[in-house]
Amino acid sequence: MNVHLPDTATLQQDRVVPLDLADEALRENFIAEIAEWAKHPPFYAVHGGSLQVIVSRYKDAIEVYRDRERFSVKVPKAPGFERFDKFMGVVTLAQMDGEHHDRIRRLMSPAFNPRAITALEPEIIETIDDLFDRAEATGRQFDAMGDFATYLMPRILLDLMFRLDAPQKAAFTRMSEVIPMATRIPPGGEFPQEYKDAFAHSRTVINALIDERRSNPGDDFVSVLVTTKEQGDQLTDTELYDQIFTVTASALQSTASSFAAIVYVLLKFRDQWEELKRRPELVPQAIEECLRYHGAGFLSFPRFATVDTEVGGTEIRQGMTLRISPQGACLDPEHYPDPLKVDIHRNPKDLLIFGGGPHLCLGNRLARFVLQVSLERFLRRYPDARLADPDFRPSYRGQVSETQIASLPLVLR
Ligand code: HEM
């Protein structure tokens, strides 16, 4: 692929915007900022020698998500693109194209069997109640992020689904903790030593786990991945490591951030919380509506143009990097009228918050199920919950463009 990037002077000037995607001010105010992006066709975000095409309107986002001929997810092997190779050579499912991607996804799909996930419901409820009990027992003010959401997916994915022991779990958790460091390394920069150490250790632990489950398979997630065969085809050891890594990296923070965002939005728009108390059967659609307004991040993984083309009238040249904003699509007034109004009756069915097209989030059913059970339990246990500070404004952390609420102090009763 030709990855020569054009001089910005040769671009449509009315679509060039000086914009630093890592700017904290952008993240702190992302809902209002991205609601503005969503009113415009794709634009060129130019900052410090880097150029990315931001795609925010719903129809443009869908077009790019679905067209894998014109837009590849595979990171070009060329100078300047090292910043997208964040995982020390691991090839995640999200960075594969075509038949390669489809084959790996097919071989992973049985591990996401909805019946197996639903069968975990009693254990998931027990885990959620245990987390609430422990947080209450401290006697401290309850932080929905620090005391609950942070522990939610590690307990569900690593304890209940992967059935890991404590040292194995510690290696997975450490690996997921260091990942945000990678998005802040400048192009061509060195990975920090603690990052390299966490990856090296997780590789040893995951490879040993693969061997263990292959010789003694159970009904856990890793055993299903290790034993799934399709017409004689199976994931190789490298593919297994890469995809166990992918699932862990994709699942933990995104689900925690989403739960904190949902609780924040419902308590901020108190009338919606009161309505949900009256109509708890609306929990699934309230989750969709809250995530439409405040997702876990505002940019998808990059796409790279394989040909000269256009989207929404914006010229895209071969080799350009495109960033879809699923959050933008959620706030597009053409698709969701009055997008900044939160209304749990809206029922936004075709949300792009889990992506779209061939790379639609593989864990979306699991994530939605965990969020649903968590919110149902929270609503039932703490109907009088409120924000400790009625004027609370979240501060965010995580990788560039992630909107992980750092802490969410609540009064529960
Ligand atoms: C609320 C929580 C979650 C959110 C908001 C979320 C969001 C997303 C998005 C937007 C994508 C598509 C990225 C793109 O195409 O650029 C994606 C892909 C993916 N997600 Fe999630 N995710 C969540 C939870 C999970 C969980 C719990 C798992 C696994 C247990 C998971 C596994 C994956 C995988 C494997 C992919 C790559 C799929 C592919 O490329 O075919 N995610 N996720």
Side-chain angles (χ1 to χ4, degrees):
M1 186 193 297
N2 173 11
V3 292
H4 176 72
L5 294 181
D7 180 348
T8 50
T10 66
L11 302 171
Q12 291 153 281
Q13 288 305 300
D14 60 333
R15 298 190 182 184
V16 176
V17 178
L19 178 65
D20 176 7
L21 295 172
D23 184 357
E24 281 305 323
L26 166 64
R27 174 148 77 173
E28 295 297 313
N29 198 25
F30 80 97
I31 296 175
E33 296 277 351
I34 284 156
E36 276 309 305
W37 295 4
K39 295 177 188 161
H40 299 282
F43 61 89
Y44 309 106
V46 179
H47 177 78
S50 123
L51 182 156
Q52 306 196 31
V53 186
I54 307 296
V55 180
S56 317
R57 291 188 308 191
Y58 193 95
K59 61 181 174 194
D60 300 331
I62 278 277
E63 181 179 334
V64 178
Y65 267 139
R66 287 187 181 157
D67 192 337
R68 44 187 0 189
E69 296 301 317
R70 287 186 297 154
F71 307 109
S72 164
V73 291
K74 228 165 144 179
V75 180
K77 295 254 176 283
F81 288 88
E82 308 86 348
R83 68 178 184 282
F84 296 122
D85 177 16
K86 295 181 293 188
F87 305 131
M88 318 254 3
V90 171
V91 186
T92 71
L93 187 62
Q95 292 173 330
M96 294 174 187
D97 272 332
E99 175 46 31
H100 182 206
H101 166 268
D102 298 350
R103 168 182 165 265
I104 303 280
R105 192 165 165 128
R106 262 195 316 274
L107 287 168
M108 289 174 75
S109 293
F112 289 90
N113 179 338
R115 246 182 308 138
I117 294 169
T118 318
L120 289 175
E121 184 167 359
E123 276 181 287
I124 293 180
I125 292 178
E126 210 176 289
T127 300
I128 289 170
D129 281 342
D130 178 54
L131 286 174
F132 287 136
D133 289 345
R134 281 169 191 253
E136 284 193 54
T138 66
R140 283 195 317 261
Q141 180 167 62
F142 179 79
D143 173 0
M145 190 56 160
D147 292 327
F148 179 76
T150 304
Y151 300 108
L152 180 63
M153 262 337 249
R155 292 273 303 260
I156 291 175
L157 190 80
L158 306 181
D159 290 348
L160 303 186
M161 295 180 69
F162 287 8
R163 305 276 178 207
L164 300 184
D165 62 25
Q168 290 167 331
K169 194 176 160 186
F172 275 75
T173 309
R174 181 69 191 132
M175 177 180 74
S176 96
E177 279 167 2
V178 299
I179 288 173
M181 287 180 187
T183 48
R184 302 193 185 272
I185 300 170
E190 264 285 296
F191 286 97
Q193 192 57 43
E194 52 181 321
Y195 190 86
K196 292 193 220 167
D197 291 347
F199 267 73
H201 184 51
S202 76
R203 190 173 282 277
T204 311
V205 169
I206 293 178
N207 285 338
L209 179 69
I210 292 169
D211 287 345
E212 180 192 315
R213 297 296 154 87
R214 189 172 278 138
S215 45
N216 191 14
D219 58 1
D220 60 282
F221 186 96
V222 177
S223 294
V224 176
L225 273 190
V226 167
T227 53
T228 293
K229 255 195 194 151
E230 236 200 34
Q231 296 172 342
D233 189 16
Q234 252 185 318
L235 293 169
T236 65
D237 278 9
T238 308
E239 289 165 348
L240 281 165
Y241 169 76
D242 285 1
Q243 299 324 314
I244 291 171
F245 168 87
T246 303
V247 167
T248 311
S250 313
L252 303 190
Q253 293 303 346
S254 55
T255 315
S257 304
S258 299
F259 181 76
I262 291 164
V263 171
Y264 166 62
V265 173
L266 286 170
L267 297 181
K268 175 179 156 86
F269 299 103
R270 186 81 210 178
D271 56 329
Q272 300 300 305
W273 176 256
E274 297 302 331
E275 175 65 356
L276 195 57
K277 274 164 44 182
R278 284 189 292 274
R279 306 274 311 275
E281 73 281 8
L282 296 184
V283 160
Q285 69 185 65
I287 289 173
E288 302 293 300
E289 175 63 352
C290 292
L291 293 180
R292 185 193 65 75
Y293 178 81
H294 186 314
F298 56 82
L299 293 175
S300 272
F301 301 124
R303 265 65 178 169
F304 306 95
T306 59
V307 288
D308 288 346
T309 183
E310 64 83 32
V311 177
T314 301
E315 195 191 336
I316 314 281
R317 299 192 199 154
Q318 187 190 50
M320 276 186 174
T321 304
L322 292 90
R323 303 301 298 274
I324 301 169
S325 176
Q327 183 73 68
C330 288
L331 296 172
D332 178 347
E334 296 265 307
H335 203 78
Y336 301 108
D338 202 359
L340 294 178
K341 182 175 165 46
V342 173
D343 174 4
I344 62 170
H345 292 279
R346 185 193 293 261
N347 204 6
K349 282 204 182 320
D350 43 6
L351 219 55
L352 292 186
I353 212 75
F354 290 97
H359 291 278
L360 172 72
C361 175
L362 188 54
N364 83 83
R365 268 203 228 99
L366 168 64
R368 284 179 157 119
F369 182 69
V370 169
L371 291 172
Q372 181 184 329
V373 179
S374 302
L375 184 58
E376 282 167 356
R377 297 305 291 172
F378 184 74
L379 189 69
R380 193 172 309 170
R381 278 181 77 129
Y382 309 116
D384 297 326
R386 57 190 159 84
L387 296 170
D389 170 3
D391 300 321
F392 175 79
R393 276 182 66 94
S395 54
Y396 295 105
R397 62 177 187 197
Q399 304 184 39
V400 168
S401 89
E402 278 185 355
T403 51
Q404 223 179 86
I405 296 178
S407 79
L408 183 61
L410 302 181
V411 175
L412 293 176
R413 296 193 171 93

